[in-house]
């Protein structure tokens, strides 16, 4: 008799990126690298490449709920990773779903802009995420531009944004890398006033899918039972390595190499 080892299952609710650089493919690859199994439920279809996003279409709520509920009824899900939602209705749909499973740790990557700057939802979607989605998430992982949108502070510092956003979520990881500093500062904030800064060397280039990679890796580490602070460090270290080894697969941004070259050999 063969006994199979069961990897932790992470439900991913996010958009599909046909370039394979971001979205659900990024989720799947990053979770595989953590030793987890990704269960991808599509929330939106996009027209994008490594240069920018050109259009998107959010799926009907019934389709998204049906996908997610099929996974939740069949598998022992250990964590949930949220990516692109794209509309107010989809935010409410996901909140409804998560409230039925309050025991699951949720990593919210508030995707509002593509790496090339294209919009992946109206600004009111950011407001809805802040007011309704962050309270049911274990941690949110915005980059600084996203944190400014969520906090409604166009020129806010990470600390200023965190002060507002921690009124809505328990933990917040604001990632750096959008300036020209030599060291990138990634700041982990908690509602109990605890704060920790993780630094890494700035890498040359611009990257497509780095935020998806980080959030998915973090969801995977939490699904494996790692404590939050340690899981954040593990996910940041892994993401930095994927950027160090990134490939230029198209005419635009580099795509993180989330799996080793010999992964399937």
């Amino acid at each position: 008799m063969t006994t199979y080892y069961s990897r932790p299952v992470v439900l991913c609710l996010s958009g599909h990126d046909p370039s394979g650089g971001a979205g659900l493919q990024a989720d799947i690859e990053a979770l595989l690298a953590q030793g987890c199994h990704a269960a991808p439920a599509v929330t939106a279809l996009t027209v994008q490449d490594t240069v920018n996003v050109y259009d998107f279409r959010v799926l009907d709520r019934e389709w998204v709920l049906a996908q997610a509920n099929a996974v939740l009824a069949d598998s022992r899900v250990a964590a949930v990773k949220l990516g692109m939602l794209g509309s107010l209705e989809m935010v409410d749909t996901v909140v409804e779903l998560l409230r039925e499973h309050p025991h699951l740790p949720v990593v919210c990557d508030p995707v509002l802009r593509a790496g090339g700057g294209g919009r992946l939802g109206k600004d009111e979607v950011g407001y809805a995420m802040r007011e309704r989605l962050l309270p049911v998430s274990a941690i949110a992982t915005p980059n600084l531009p996203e944190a400014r949108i969520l906090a409604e502070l166009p020129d806010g510092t990470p600390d200023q944004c965190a002060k507002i956003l921690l009124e809505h979520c328990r933990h917040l990881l604001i990632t750096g890398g959008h300036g020209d500093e030599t060291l990138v500062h990634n700041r982990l904030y908690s509602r109990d006033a605890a704060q920790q800064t993780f630094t890494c060397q700035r890498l040359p280039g611009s990257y497509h899918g780095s935020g998806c990679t980080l959030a998915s890796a973090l969801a995977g580490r939490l699904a494996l039972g790692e404590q939050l602070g340690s899981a954040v460090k593990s996910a940041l270290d892994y993401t930095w390595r994927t950027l160090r080894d990134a490939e230029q697969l198209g005419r635009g941004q580099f795509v993180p190499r989330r799996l080793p070259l010999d992964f399937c050999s």
Side-chain angles (χ1 to χ4, degrees):
M1 176 180 175
T2 302
T3 301
Y4 294 97
Y5 168 71
S6 178
R7 294 171 292 157
V9 175
V10 177
L11 173 63
C12 302
L13 291 142
S14 190
H16 170 63
D17 169 12
S19 80
L24 288 170
Q25 182 165 326
D27 298 343
I28 294 166
E29 292 176 354
L31 284 163
L32 281 172
Q34 310 312 309
C36 295
H37 175 80
V42 184
T43 57
L45 301 174
T46 71
V47 179
Q48 64 178 305
D49 53 23
T50 61
V51 178
N52 210 341
V53 58
Y54 308 103
D55 201 359
F56 67 88
R57 178 173 298 178
V58 179
L59 270 64
D60 294 338
R61 60 175 268 114
E62 291 78 11
W63 273 94
V64 176
L65 287 173
Q67 291 177 82
N69 283 324
V71 172
L72 288 162
D74 181 55
S75 302
R76 187 179 298 175
V77 173
V80 178
K81 185 267 179 182
L82 305 178
M84 177 189 174
L85 302 182
S87 71
L88 296 175
E89 183 181 36
M90 190 52 58
V91 171
D92 288 339
T93 297
V94 171
V95 169
E96 175 187 321
L97 179 74
L98 296 177
R99 283 178 174 162
E100 296 176 0
H101 303 274
H103 64 289
L104 293 176
V106 177
V107 176
C108 177
D109 178 19
V111 177
L112 297 168
R113 296 285 190 276
R119 294 159 64 94
L120 288 167
K122 298 180 180 179
D123 284 351
E124 55 260 35
V125 174
Y127 177 82
M129 285 184 169
R130 183 185 77 189
E131 297 295 315
R132 304 200 281 275
L133 194 57
L134 295 192
V136 296
S137 300
I139 185 170
T141 61
N143 57 37
L144 182 55
E146 290 167 337
R148 286 169 171 164
I149 294 172
L150 292 170
E152 298 180 288
L153 293 175
D155 300 309
T157 66
D159 288 352
Q160 290 169 335
C161 293
K163 183 177 180 180
I164 291 174
L165 296 180
L166 285 173
E167 296 176 5
H168 304 274
C169 61
R170 290 170 283 167
H171 303 283
L172 179 71
L173 176 64
I174 299 181
T175 58
H178 291 81
D180 56 3
E181 66 275 11
T182 302
L183 285 179
V184 175
H185 293 76
N186 303 296
R187 296 172 172 88
L188 175 62
Y189 301 90
S190 297
R191 189 175 286 171
D192 62 5
Q195 182 177 338
Q196 192 170 359
T197 299
F198 304 88
T199 59
C200 61
Q201 193 71 31
R202 168 179 285 280
L203 294 166
S206 178
Y207 303 93
H208 181 58
S210 56
C212 307
T213 303
L214 172 62
S216 296
L218 176 53
R221 303 314 301 181
L222 294 175
L224 289 164
E226 198 167 343
Q227 294 300 307
L228 183 69
S230 174
V232 166
K233 185 178 187 307
S234 296
L236 286 168
D237 289 347
Y238 163 76
T239 302
W240 187 87
R241 293 193 300 271
T242 71
L243 302 184
R244 178 197 63 192
D245 300 334
E247 306 166 278
Q248 190 163 25
L249 302 176
R251 296 179 295 106
Q253 296 177 306
F254 286 80
V255 173
R257 183 177 288 173
R258 290 171 283 257
L259 295 172
L261 290 175
D262 61 350
F263 182 79
C264 294
S265 61

